[in-house]
Each structure stands twice: as structure tokens, then as C-alpha cells.
């Protein structure tokens, strides 16, 4: 990287005094201030293409004393506000990284990046790329050979170019072409993924011109055939007008007559939530979307920071240009900027509170993002129960959950991302994968072992989804350790004469690195604070991580896919904390070449024992498409759990009020239950869990 | 086994004519008829202790034509009704198995079983064992040495004796003693598991007398110390009177103003459910509890029969007598007879329909079982979603589920068992483990690697829960196959020059046996009908089984634990169908010695390809107790999924009406949301998922 001169003249528009919380996202005025400071550092009329203007989080070592003061009701230290900025000189390869002190109005750092360092895509750019691809003469000439019906609308899906080391220094998009139903071309929501075309233009973002037109292999091998006239195939629409909808689904409403049990304190651009002994701060940024900070239960600290760090989706088709399909949806696009505007009654059910956010646009202005997080409570069935068979008394508590949900659309796919809290001191992170399969054309009668035909002429290629959740623990203090338990059979001995004994052994992870689950040993990772002991059993307080195992990345170790997806080969990465090391695939994933992400950090082989470490926890799906996944796939759900282990002195949900009819107001259905009966009769004392025997 | 004379004179009370469905559980009159026929086959005044009187299911080859006629609206073949009966001559070891034809009133078969064949426990017996244990002089003498406070109530938990081959021919119970809080002895619901005693009487069921009093090791080794005076320890109560309950949880009600979307047709002792294109018949019996029969979607057959077959819970402590703790909660007790009477507003939320059942009691009479299954719908979040980023139109459907839930109490533990259906053609089987840990005394300051101290002086030993779900598939007909997919990296080649390709390979399971998951290969089992092809892609119709992997039984292969728990060592067992082979651990698990369950059946090495086969699918938890699991543990949830693979021609939930506010009636919460706002304003057309861009 070469360094450029940093503009030294502060602008007159610096924000005086600091009132925002140090972890609050940039405000609208901070965003525009940062961009104007950057603009002012360049000659007038320089056309700057802003990619990201986001909070540069202060050093953790500065924030921790602040949080301590905040929770202790003491005077708060002043922490300056800084913006992290990425920008191009528009339509050049000149990609910059800068830090602006918005408190003082100074550019602290400003650097030209590269080579092989490229920015994420953005919405405005993607629309421009679509136009460039479809406007190109060579592309039009290839489309003409298809002899599509008059009026057919061709659609271009720009894809991040990936990287394979073959002439890929330049920043490009690989566009895949589709069409709307040619017999119904006015339907703007026609599912074009059901009608893929074998033409794939490549567009340079420097020239914004098509630099190559690839034709796609459509047989079982890598052969490319010249474009032939298109034979009409049926559409496969997902919007409701084209379905014969079910008519026998009755409404189900979730009512909270006294309102919700959570409180939201909106503090500028961040929000502090409190619910059932939990408190935490919610931020939101372009890349990660939702970020949780300072997560506490009953005012005991658990996590400094939690967020989805990145995801990688490598595809199985080895043929050019499909082999380059390996998206990093956070690094290449951004979970924040792709967040859906969630609608009441559509995306959540019940009593809903929405969070808004402000992000930046490509001109350095503000992009208001409404309803990007929805917050609600849900019933999660029985939380715990025991019936004393001697007295017949049942003690039962339902489990209430608090959900923070965000939904992102990344071109064809959707991800529904949620942090879920419960009353037993547990946090879940849930991913629902839905949306539309990325498709490509296939000749009639052809089958391939790397994909599934999901519609006549349509191949959906197998692909992996590998998610990396970043967790910065702070379990009762800064010096934690990662340990794992394993269960082993005892050898036969005088102590174990019948060969049935087993024991659990704990191992401390000493060094940074990638570590794996082993179900044959029931291996279980725990975050532990050895300095804080359980008052009853003397064990160190801990939280365990229950994450589903998954097949690691299948691309070989010499491949660009493997080198780039630095989190894809282990269930857990643990590294020593360093400020700024937030993204498992590295800061810049677009056409990246590896070596800048978590695998590289782990390779420092630093001690992670009894110090400040960070975890990257992976979950994955090897998505072998079924025809049932088309035209929109039913959610595939992944869930990971953080659960206390000897952190409390008993079941922390023991104080949840008993589940009783006067509170729950369920309805008894009779055999002909077209209308629910009136509220069921209950015992004189209102208790419903009466003796059975 | 020796055969006894079968009574040849039919009683005059035969049920004339057959009106019940062949899969309907025995009715009250059929139960009493069967017992009276058995009684009549013995000399007058013979005291018979009935263990089980349950439906002897007709041969599948007889039922299939019946079901075909039923669904085709054709005349129904007559199938006689038979009862399966187990009984003892009371207080002897004479254990019998009989089949009674209740249509004709004849005993078809009646056999004395043994040796080493013993019946399940039953409620009346357990109460009698408790009394025998506590009434014994030697036991009282040991208790006296504890010098418990005046009025202290000692409680006995009879345990199935397990089997270790050491003097265990006789049928016995091992009782573990506890006490209620000695300072609060009148509290009948005091949690005695918090106050375990080191005395363990063994009771013979033949003599109903204590035959041995074991003292328990309470240190780190197997040494037994004489009983010493008890030092008062604190209680650890779970009932609400002893908690400082949370006061900030607001009600959350689930309302179905137009009633539920399912129909229940009550046909005698079984019920036919229909919901969202699903139909199936629900039975209920002493051993398995809920059984589903004839499961269809859109009138396409999927499963002939589904039920929990058994579960095994081996404990890790190798010391006598704890090494014998290895319960089979279905075979040793019964998921039906242990089912809770579910209470409105306590165990389910929303609009609830309850199923009752009738089982038999120990005298051959009827045990009415009310509310053993609760049925309700629940919202399961978003089912599928896609937003067209070009138009901003979001298409979103919520997922509605139908839940059939049953809860069983087996002494200390509870299991919440549920079949869950959704609109995408999927069936889940969910297990929630809750209840109270089985505890034992431990000396102060002692730690052991095979258990966790969960309260002063209380050890909760590690244990495995291994569940076996029996699935008898009938996917579009009788001749199915089990296959598995694996995903493998492609070797580098001209076809795969970048090393990123991978492919999926399908393997047919040819022979009966135990088979395992392998996440490193993404191995996935599917039930397939090769004779029925998907009309679009030509693939055989299939259902995949997504089951979580688990650590197999840790007891060594020579142990009684391993030999008895015949399903505990593989993720899946597949066997050729034979009538009557229903229970993975064998028909009689109490003090069993192995060789009569699914491992033995699989060892026949029969072909299971394109024929009638049965699956036993295992799930498991290695429960390493946390202090948070005491005094009642938060639910630990396991879930397995059956999902269509190329069974439909597209997403079967595509016809679910869009998720819209006029249907869902959610409430918008403002920042001070103590009361929800009025219904949110929606667009003129009532649509809420309006364009965002």
C-alpha cells in the first residue's frame, strides 16, 4: 500500500463536544461531515464514489472504562468520534481507506489501497452495471441470436467477480442474464430465475463497459455451443397472483394486551434494550447490520460485542465462469445496506418495535434505513416442567423469547438473521436461508452431479453457505479462556468393572488457531473465566457454545476459494483481540486473494489463555438443491446457542411465573371447533395445574 | 419359553361384528373383555396382575388393503380385533404373554415367559415398592443412624434394577432414598432430589420385601462408609411459593378468532386429523404413547406408522449400585401410561384440542387418560421470503405449524414429545428434556469427573439420553429404499482446473444394519421410491432425514448397557419389516440381556432394497449437568426433520397466502409502548409489503 498525503487543514464544520455513546453508529450529520471533510481534502469537482462511511469504533481499551463508568453511574470519559471511510475516485481504480475524526474535523489517515484490493458493491453501482451489460452491442447481438419473442424483457444479475488469479487484477462484475416470462413481459415481478440465458457479460467498474462476453456451458461438460434460437419454456412464478392459494388457513394473532415486556431506550443512533434481566446496546452498520454491544444479564457482563462477521457461498460447478461464484455477502455487499424495510404484520407477528438506521450513500450523503430491525417477544413453548407424581402437582413455566430480527436480500437470496434471548440466560443466533436459488441454463435431458434441475431447462448448482459469527466475550471481566470438554469412556478397572463408566475432561485452548467439533467425543467449547468461581460448586463461570457441526469448505487448499474464505475450514477460530479485526474474511473480500482474515490472524499463534480473545464461530449448510427449493425455498434454519454453565447458582428461569390460564388465556376447542369456546373453567383459586392423581 | 395350555372355551362376551378401525386403540370394553377372557382361562380367584392390555395391531399386509379401500371409498374388509396382554400371577415370577381375539372371545395364544424376561413397572406397583422399602426394619435402622430431625419425611424413588449379570435373575427394584426439607417437612412438594440419602434398599417384586440394603459411595472412590448423623443442608425448591418471581413479564396471548385450521374426526378410540393437506390417524398406547398412522400429504402416502420406539438413559458412575442405572423409559415404564394430563393454559398456548385415551390398569380394568395429547397450531416465523430488489416487492409467507404434543413424567425426568407438521410438506419430531436430575449424595469438597455438584452435598451424574424414533415408510407405495447422499470434492482436472468443484453421490443401502452420519461427507439419509419419478427432473421421489448427530453410547461393547440398548450405537438402523418388531430395545427391556431388539433384527442381513423396510432413527444428548439444570432443568431441545426431496414439483408452501397485516393483525409499539398502538395504518389495498425503493 502506498500512502498519500493526508489533508491537514481541518474543516470548520467539526462536531464540537462529544455526546454520542462511543459505540453508537454514526449519525446523519456525522456521515455528511465525514464525507465533506474527505471531499475537502481533494481538489474541487473531484467526483468521489463513497463506498462506506461508518463508525470507526474506539479502541476496546478506551471503551471498557467508559462502560464501567456508565454502569457505575460515574462521570463518563470523553471519547472522540471517528469515521471509517472507503471511497474511489469515481470510475478509476483509485480505492482509498481513510479515518476522519469527526470530533475535531481532521482527516487522521487517508491511504490509497491496492493492488488486489477492491471495494464492496453498492446499490447504485449494481443498477449502473446492469445497464452497462444490457446496453452493450455485443451482448445485444448475442441476445438477438436467441430470437426471443417481441417485447421480452432481459434482466441482468451482476455477480461479484470472485477471484481465480486469471487476469483478475481489475475490478469487474460477471453478469448473469435471465428473462421475464416472454409471454407475460409486463409482469415486473416475473421470476426471471426460472428463465436463465446462456450469455454472461463481464463489466469493468473502471470503464463501466463490457470487456468480455462469456457464453455458458449448458451441457454435462465444459463445451460452449453457439447461441441458438430459444425454445419457449414455462414460467415458474412465486408471487401470489399466479398461485391457487389455500383457503383453509385461519388467522392466528399474537396479542399483548398490556404491551411488551421489553424497554427500548433510544440514545441517538443506538438503542439500549432491557428485557427480563438482559441489557444490551444495539448498533447497526453497513457491513454487519445488527451489532450487539455490552451484553449483560442481571448486570453481569457476558459479551463485549456480537455480530455476524461474514458469510461465504462457494458454488460446486467447476466450469468457467461459474467457478468464480463464491460470494461474501457481507464483505462483498453488506448485511446493513441490504437490509429489508420490515413491514408490520408481514415479517414479524405480535407487538413489534422497529429500529431505524442511517447509512451512507455513494455520494457521501445519508441513506435512511427504516425498520431494519424488528423486535418482539415470542412464546417458545414450555421452558421447564416437573410433575411430582406423588402429589400430582405440575410446576411448569413457559419460555418467553426476545427476538431481534433483520432480513437481508442479496440479489437472489434472502437471509433472516436473529439474535434470540430467553429467560434461562441463553442467547441463540438463528439464520434462516430463503429466497431464490441462483440458476443457470441446462440442456434438456442433461443431468449433472453438481446440481439439480429445478425447472425445465434450469439448473440450480450445489453450494455451501458458511456463516461466521464474531463473538468478543467479556465473561465477568476481560481475561477469559476458551476450553473444551470431551466425554470419554473409562477403561475397565476395579473402579469400572462393568465397563459403563465415563468421564468428562476439560482442555484449555492455549494458542490462537482453528478448532473443530468432534461429536464422537462430544467435544463442546466453553468460554470460561477461571477467576470467578461458582459459589456452590467452585467451578469457573462459563458459557458453552452449542453450534451444529457442518461440512467444511470443499474447495481444495490450493484454491482461491479456500484461501479467501479464511473462516470456512474450522468450526471455531480463536484469536487474540486486536482492534479492527472484525471480519473473518478480511476487510476487503471483493476479488480478494486471502491472507488478511481470521486464518492469518490465528497463524500468529498468540496465547489466548486468560486474556482478551475473540471467537469466530462457524455454521454451514451444504445446499444440495431440491426441486422444492424453487421458485422460492422454504427456510432452512440454523441455530447456535450460548448457554450458561455454572454461571448461575441454579436454573435462572426458576423465577419465571408459573404458566397459568389466567395469564395465558388459551381457548379450549371442541370437536366442532369452528369457534373457540369461551374461556375454559378453571379451579376456584385460578390455578390450572391441579393434581392429576 | 415354555408354552402353557390355552383356554379353549370362548367366553360368551365376545364383541360381535367389527366396527373399529383396525388401527384404533382398544376401547374400554375391549380392554375389560380381554382381561375377563384371560381371567376366565385361570382357576377362579387367581390373582392376576395385568401389566399391559393393548391393541395387537393386525398384520400390515391386512391393513394396507383396508387403507386402500378406505381412501378409495370402497367396501372395507373385516379385520378382527385382537388384544396383546402381559400379566403376572400376582407376586410370583410367572410372567405371561397372551393374545386374545376380542372379536371371537378366544385366547389365541398364552405363554409363560422367562427366564430373564420381566415386565415393565406400573404405577400401582411403584407405590407398593416405595412402601415396602420404607417399611423395612433394616432400612429404618439405617435411616435412624442419620439422626434426622423429628418429623423429617423420607421419600423412596424406585429404580428399574438394570442388569449386570450379577445375581439379577429375579425381578427387583433398586430404591434411592431422599428426604423432604427436614425444616419444612409438611411441604409435600419439597424437592427431595436436593436432599439425597446414602441408603438404597433393593426390593423383590415377588416377595415385595427388601432383600438387600445397599449403602452408597459418597466420596471420589468406591469406598462405602458407615452411615453418620446427617448435617442439615439447605433445600432447593422449584415450586413457585419459594421463589421471588419476576414481576415484569407481560401476558402474550395467541388468539384464533375464527377457530383453528385443523379438523379432528373422532372415530372411537382413534382420531383422524386433517390440516393443510395433511391427514393422519392418531393412536395412543401404554408403551409408545402417541402413534401416527397412515400419514398422507395431499392424499399421497408418506408413512405407514411413526412413533417413539424407546429411549435409553445410561449413567456414567461406574460404582455399585449406580452402574445399574440405565433406564428404558418406554420399555421399562411406558410413554403412554406416564403421560401427563395436560392442562389448558399451562402446557400449550392458543386454541387447544385435547385427545383422551383409555389404557388398562393392573387389575384388568380401564385407566382413563384425559388430555394426553394436546393439538394446536403455532406460528413458526417466516416460511419463505423473497424481495425483488428491482421493484421492491416483497413476497413473504409465514410458516404455520400443527403440533401434537404429549408430556411424560418418568419419576424425576420429564420429556415433552411432539410431532410437528408444516405447510412445506415437512414433519419434525421434537424432544424437550426437562424435569429434575437424578441425584445422589456426595461428600463436601469432593469432585468427580463423572458428575457435577449441583447443590451442597448433591451430585448429578453425567448420563446419555438416546431416543429411537421408529418410522415405517410408505412413500407412494410399499417398496421403498434407503439411500444416502454424500458430497465430495472433485479432484483437479481439466474439468476442475481451479479445485473448487464438488459433486453429490447417492448410495443405496442394500442390507439391514446400523448406519451412521458423517458430517465430513455431508452424509444424508433419504427414503426413496425409485418407481415414482418427479415429473420435472425425473428424480425418484424421496424424503430426507435431517437428524442431529450425537455421541453414541459410551458403555463398552461387552457391557450389559451396550448389549441391552440395541439402538444406541448408530444414527440409523434399517431392518426389513416384520409385524410386531416395534421396540428398538426389544419387547421386554426390564433387566433385559440384549439380543431381542433392533441390532439383532439388523443382524439378519436381509435385503432392504425396494421392499418394505423400517427405520429406527436415533437422537441423543450426552447430558453433562450444569448447576443451571437444577432444581428443574431448562428444556434441552432435540429436533429431527423429514423433508421432501423431489417429491413435489415446486415449493409446496408456495400456495400459502401472503403474510399480510389484515390477516396477522400485529401491533406497532412506540418507544413508550406500555399499551400497543391501534392497528397500524396500511395501504389502501390492505397490502403491507409495499415497495421499499
Amino acid at each position: 500500500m502506498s500512502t498519500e498525503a493526508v489533508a491537514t487543514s481541518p474543516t470548520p464544520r467539526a462536531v464540537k463536544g462529544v455526546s454520542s455513546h462511543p459505540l453508537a453508529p454514526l449519525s446523519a450529520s456525522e456521515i455528511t461531515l465525514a464525507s465533506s471533510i474527505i471531499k475537502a481534502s481533494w481538489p474541487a469537482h473531484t467526483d468521489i464514489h463513497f463506498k462506506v462511511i461508518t463508525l470507526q469504533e474506539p479502541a476496546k481499551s478506551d471503551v471498557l472504562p467508559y462502560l464501567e463508568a456508565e454502569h457505575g453511574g460515574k462521570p463518563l470519559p470523553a471519547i472522540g468520534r471517528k469515521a471509517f471511510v472507503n471511497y474511489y475516485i469515481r470510475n478509476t481504480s483509485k480505492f482509498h481507506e481513510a479515518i476522519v475524526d469527526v470530533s475535531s474535523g481532521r482527516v487522521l489517515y487517508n491511504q490509497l489501497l491496492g493492488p488486489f484490493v477492491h471495494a464492496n458493491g453498492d446499490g447504485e453501482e449494481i443498477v449502473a452495471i446492469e445497464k452497462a451489460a444490457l446496453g452493450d452491442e455485443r451482448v445485444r447481438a448475442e441476445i438477438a441470436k436467441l430470437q426471443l419473442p417481441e417485447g421480452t424483457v432481459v434482466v441482468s444479475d451482476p455477480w461479484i467477480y470472485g477471484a481465480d488469479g486469471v487476469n483478475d487484477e481489475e475490478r469487474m462484475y460477471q453478469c448473469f442474464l435471465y428473462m421475464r416470462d416472454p409471454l407475460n413481459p409486463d409482469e415486473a415481478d416475473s421470476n426471471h430465475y426460472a428463465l436463465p440465458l446462456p450469455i454472461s457479460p463481464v463489466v469493468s467498474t473502471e470503464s463501466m463497459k463490457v470487456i468480455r462476453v462469456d457464453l455458458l456451458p449448458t451441457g454435462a461438460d465444459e463445451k460452449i455451443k453457439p447461441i441458438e434460437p430459444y425454445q419457449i419454456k414455462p414460467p415458474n412464478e412465486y408471487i401470489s397472483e399466479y398461485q391457487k392459494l389455500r383457503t383453509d388457513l385461519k388467522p392466528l394473532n399474537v396479542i399483548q394486551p398490556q404491551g411488551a415486556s421489553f424497554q427500548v431506550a433510544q440514545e441517538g443512533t443506538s438503542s439500549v434494550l432491557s428485557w427480563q434481566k438482559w441489557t444490551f446496546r444495539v448498533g447497526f452498520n453497513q457491513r454487519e447490520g445488527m451489532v450487539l454491544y455490552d451484553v449483560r444479564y442481571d448486570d453481569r457482563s457476558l459479551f463485549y460485542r456480537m455480530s455476524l462477521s461474514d458469510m461465504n457461498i462457494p458454488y460446486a460447478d467447476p466450469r468457467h465462469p461459474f467457478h468464480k461464484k463464491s460470494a461474501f455477502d457481507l464483505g462483498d455487499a453488506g448485511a446493513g445496506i441490504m437490509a429489508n424495510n420490515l413491514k408490520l404484520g408481514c415479517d414479524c407477528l405480535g407487538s413489534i418495535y422497529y429500529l431505524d438506521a442511517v447509512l451512507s450513500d455513494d455520494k457521501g450523503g445519508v441513506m435512511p434505513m427504516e425498520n431494519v430491525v424488528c423486535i418482539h417477544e415470542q412464546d417458545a413453548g414450555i421452558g421447564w416442567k416437573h410433575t411430582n407424581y406423588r402429589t400430582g402437582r405440575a410446576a411448569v413455566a413457559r419460555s418467553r423469547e426476545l427476538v431481534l430480527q433483520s432480513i437481508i436480500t442479496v440479489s437472489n437470496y434472502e437471509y433472516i438473521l436473529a439474535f434470540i434471548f430467553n429467560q434461562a440466560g441463553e442467547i441463540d443466533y438463528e439464520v434462516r436461508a430463503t429466497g431464490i436459488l441462483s440458476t443457470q441454463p441446462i440442456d434438456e435431458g442433461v443431468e449433472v452431479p453438481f446440481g439439480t434441475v429445478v425447472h425445465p431447462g434450469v439448473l440450480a448448482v450445489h453450494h455451501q453457505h458458511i456463516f461466521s459469527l464474531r463473538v468478543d466475550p467479556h465473561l465477568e471481566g476481560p481475561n477469559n479462556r476458551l476450553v473444551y470438554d470431551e466425554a470419554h469412556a473409562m477403561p475397565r478397572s476395579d473402579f469400572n468393572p462393568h465397563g459403563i463408566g465415563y468421564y468428562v475432561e476439560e482442555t484449555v485452548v492455549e494458542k490462537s488457531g482453528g478448532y473443530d467439533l468432534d461429536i464422537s467425543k462430544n467435544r463442546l467449547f466453553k468460554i470460561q473465566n477461571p477467576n470467578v468461581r461458582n459459589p456452590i460448586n467452585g467451578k469457573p463461570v462459563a458459557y458453552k457454545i452449542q453450534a451444529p457441526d457442518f461440512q467444511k469448505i470443499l474447495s481444495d487448499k490450493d484454491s482461491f476459494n479456500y484461501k479467501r474464505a479464511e473462516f470456512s475450514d474450522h468450526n471455531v477460530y480463536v484469536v487474540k483481540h486486536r482492534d479492527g479485526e472484525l471480519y473473518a474474511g478480511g476487510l476487503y473480500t471483493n476479488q480478494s486473494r486471502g491472507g488478511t482474515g481470521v486464518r492469518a490472524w490465528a497463524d500468529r499463534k498468540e496465547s489466548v489463555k486468560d486474556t482478551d480473545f475473540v471467537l469466530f464461530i462457524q455454521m454451514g449448510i451444504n445446499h444440495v438443491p431440491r426441486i422444492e427449493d424453487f421458485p422460492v425455498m422454504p427456510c432452512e434454519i440454523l441455530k447456535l446457542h450460548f448457554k450458561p454453565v455454572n454461571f448461575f447458582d441454579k436454573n435462572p428461569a426458576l423465577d419465571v411465573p408459573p404458566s397459568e390460564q389466567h395469564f395465558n388465556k388459551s381457548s379450549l376447542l371442541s370437536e366442532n371447533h369452528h369457534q373457540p369456546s369461551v374461556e375454559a373453567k378453571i379451579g376456584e383459586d385460578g390455578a390450572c395445574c391441579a393434581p392429576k392423581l
Side-chain angles (χ1 to χ4, degrees), chain A:
Chain A
M1 288 193 249
S2 64
T3 305
E4 288 198 1
V6 167
T8 49
S9 57
T11 77
R13 289 160 300 173
V15 172
K16 295 294 177 204
V18 175
S19 61
S20 294
H21 192 279
L23 298 173
L26 293 187
S27 65
S29 61
E30 287 174 326
I31 288 170
T32 52
L33 175 60
S35 67
S36 64
I37 292 170
I38 291 291
K39 284 176 194 162
S41 75
W42 287 89
H45 308 303
T46 307
D47 190 358
I48 294 181
H49 182 166
F50 287 94
K51 280 293 181 181
V52 177
I53 305 174
T54 194
L55 177 71
Q56 171 74 15
E57 287 185 19
K60 188 174 173 183
S61 57
D62 290 338
V63 178
L64 287 177
Y66 185 100
L67 297 179
E68 202 171 318
E70 186 182 22
H71 288 283
K74 298 197 178 119
L76 299 173
I79 300 183
R81 299 278 294 169
K82 293 176 190 164
F84 176 93
V85 185
N86 271 145
Y87 64 96
Y88 279 99
I89 308 303
R90 195 178 290 273
N91 296 340
T92 73
S93 63
K94 291 181 193 303
F95 182 44
H96 293 74
E97 178 181 284
I99 293 174
V100 176
D101 185 329
V102 289
S103 305
S104 67
R106 286 171 171 272
V107 177
L108 300 179
Y109 161 89
N110 188 16
Q111 194 163 29
L112 177 67
L113 304 173
F116 304 120
V117 180
H118 301 290
N120 54 295
D122 64 65
E124 295 88 345
E125 177 179 89
I126 283 166
V127 170
I129 294 286
E130 288 177 22
K131 281 191 187 144
L134 294 173
D136 182 79
E137 282 308 315
R138 284 163 300 172
V139 173
R140 285 169 172 273
E142 292 295 344
I143 291 173
K145 294 178 192 167
L146 290 163
Q147 300 177 21
L148 298 174
E150 180 81 20
T152 300
V153 178
V154 174
V155 177
S156 166
D157 261 31
W159 264 72
I160 290 294
Y161 194 77
D164 60 4
V166 181
N167 299 326
D168 63 354
E169 287 185 36
E170 191 176 355
R171 185 164 177 272
M172 291 167 280
Y173 278 93
Q174 181 94 36
C175 297
F176 293 103
L177 302 191
Y178 304 86
M179 62 184 167
R180 294 189 199 150
D181 180 5
L183 304 183
N184 187 19
D186 294 338
E187 178 53 70
D189 284 295
S190 174
N191 173 21
H192 60 267
Y193 298 104
L195 299 161
L197 300 175
I199 302 161
S200 179
V202 175
V203 181
S204 156
T205 59
E206 201 171 324
S207 66
M208 290 306 281
K209 291 209 184 311
V210 171
I211 55 173
R212 195 173 83 228
V213 182
D214 292 334
L215 299 187
L216 303 177
T218 59
D221 59 21
E222 67 271 41
K223 280 201 208 85
I224 306 289
K225 289 173 297 191
I227 303 294
E228 287 174 1
Y230 172 78
Q231 305 297 317
I232 291 282
K233 296 204 180 67
N236 197 339
E237 307 297 5
Y238 63 86
I239 55 175
S240 54
E241 299 91 304
Y242 298 91
Q243 318 303 327
K244 195 179 160 215
L245 295 175
R246 298 175 190 222
T247 56
D248 56 350
L249 188 71
K250 305 287 176 63
L252 185 152
N253 307 137
V254 173
I255 308 292
Q256 296 200 265
Q258 298 173 27
S261 315
F262 59 89
Q263 277 85 42
V264 183
Q266 200 87 48
E267 299 184 1
T269 53
S270 68
S271 308
V272 176
L273 262 90
S274 35
W275 178 80
Q276 295 291 295
K277 305 188 189 178
W278 290 100
T279 59
F280 52 90
R281 180 174 295 273
V282 187
F284 193 89
N285 65 49
Q286 178 272 344
R287 179 148 177 169
E288 300 161 286
M290 260 189 296
V291 183
L292 306 188
Y293 298 100
D294 192 21
V295 179
R296 289 166 185 250
Y297 188 91
D298 215 4
D299 209 31
R300 294 171 71 188
S301 176
L302 295 175
F303 298 101
Y304 176 73
R305 193 182 195 281
M306 306 179 96
S307 67
L308 185 64
S309 167
D310 215 328
M311 66 171 94
N312 177 233
I313 307 105
Y315 282 71
D317 189 342
R319 299 172 301 176
H320 184 276
F322 301 121
H323 72 284
K324 285 192 271 92
K325 287 177 75 169
S326 179
F328 292 81
D329 284 351
L330 274 64
D332 293 350
I337 198 71
M338 301 294 176
N340 289 194
N341 183 339
L342 302 174
K343 296 295 181 183
L344 189 71
C346 304
D347 296 300
C348 306
L349 188 69
S351 298
I352 317 296
Y353 187 90
Y354 293 96
L355 299 183
D356 300 332
V358 285
L359 299 179
S360 58
D361 69 14
D362 71 325
K363 294 173 189 63
V366 168
M367 172 85 82
M369 301 285 292
E370 284 182 3
N371 295 0
V372 285
V373 176
C374 62
I375 304 172
H376 70 281
E377 289 177 88
Q378 67 189 17
D379 178 81
I382 290 172
W384 57 264
K385 180 174 186 177
H386 179 63
T387 301
N388 182 342
Y389 75 85
R390 292 176 178 84
T391 64
R393 176 168 170 175
V396 54
R398 298 194 73 75
S399 172
R400 185 75 62 85
E401 293 179 333
L402 180 74
V403 183
L404 279 83
Q405 176 180 270
S406 200
I407 306 181
I408 65 172
T409 297
V410 191
S411 203
N412 53 303
Y413 257 118
E414 261 75 16
Y415 299 97
I416 302 171
L417 307 167
F419 286 99
I420 304 173
F421 297 80
N422 77 13
Q423 297 155 311
E426 301 171 357
I427 306 177
D428 293 348
Y429 188 71
E430 185 188 84
V431 175
R432 295 182 181 222
T434 180
I436 305 188
L437 290 156
S438 176
T439 59
Q440 62 196 57
I442 187 166
D443 298 338
E444 212 177 319
V446 173
E447 286 195 18
V448 291
F450 48 81
T452 305
V453 171
V454 294
H455 184 67
V458 181
L459 182 69
V461 167
H462 310 333
H463 52 280
Q464 297 182 272
H465 298 257
I466 304 171
F467 304 89
S468 180
L469 188 78
R470 184 180 182 279
V471 175
D472 187 341
H474 197 256
L475 213 64
E476 299 262 40
N479 295 324
N480 294 175
R481 51 170 70 173
L482 181 70
V483 303
Y484 58 85
D485 281 349
E486 289 180 350
H488 295 281
M490 290 180 193
R492 288 222 179 202
S493 68
D494 286 349
F495 187 64
N496 178 35
H498 298 280
I500 64 90
Y502 70 90
Y503 63 100
V504 170
E505 188 176 59
E506 187 179 281
T507 304
V508 179
V509 174
E510 302 276 349
K511 294 283 174 203
S512 61
Y515 294 88
D516 289 314
L517 293 172
D518 183 345
I519 286 169
S520 72
K521 301 186 171 77
N522 205 47
R523 190 180 293 158
L524 177 86
F525 290 92
K526 297 188 297 189
I527 301 160
Q528 203 180 67
N529 188 332
N531 302 312
V532 181
R533 298 275 165 169
N534 187 287
I536 306 292
N537 65 16
K539 300 276 189 189
V541 297
Y543 259 69
K544 65 179 172 182
I545 302 160
Q546 284 183 335
D549 202 0
F550 68 101
Q551 188 178 33
K552 310 304 183 299
I553 191 167
L554 279 158
S555 304
D556 73 30
K557 293 203 171 183
D558 296 321
S559 66
F560 274 74
N561 273 7
Y562 178 87
K563 289 177 188 160
R564 300 176 67 212
E566 301 201 26
F567 49 94
S568 62
D569 57 339
H570 288 294
N571 293 94
V572 173
Y573 267 101
V574 54
V575 294
K576 192 163 160 58
H577 176 273
R578 290 202 188 180
D579 289 320
E581 290 184 346
L582 295 172
Y583 313 122
L587 182 51
Y588 302 107
T589 57
N590 190 359
Q591 293 177 230
S592 64
R593 304 186 151 225
T596 60
V598 72
R599 196 186 289 137
W601 309 333
D603 277 347
R604 294 191 300 245
K605 298 286 172 212
E606 291 174 293
S607 170
V608 291
K609 184 176 164 184
D610 302 342
T611 182
D612 189 5
F613 70 82
V614 174
L615 289 175
F616 293 81
I617 306 167
Q618 280 67 247
M619 294 198 286
I621 302 168
N622 188 336
H623 188 177
V624 176
R626 319 167 290 163
I627 201 166
E628 287 84 357
D629 293 332
F630 203 69
V632 180
M633 67 179 277
C635 281
E636 185 69 21
I637 303 177
L638 289 175
K639 218 165 173 173
L640 83 79
H641 312 278
F642 297 95
K643 297 186 182 178
V645 178
N646 302 317
F647 188 85
F648 299 99
D649 62 358
K650 56 177 69 174
N651 176 356
L654 206 64
D655 61 355
V656 173
S659 175
E660 288 174 351
Q661 173 63 0
H662 70 84
F663 187 81
N664 291 327
K665 298 205 189 311
S666 288
S667 298
L668 184 65
L669 295 170
S670 62
E671 198 163 346
N672 302 307
H673 57 67
H674 295 292
Q675 295 298 327
S677 67
V678 293
E679 194 174 315
K681 247 196 304 190
I682 56 175
E684 275 170 45
D685 57 351
C688 54
C689 301
K692 164 190 171 191
L693 291 180

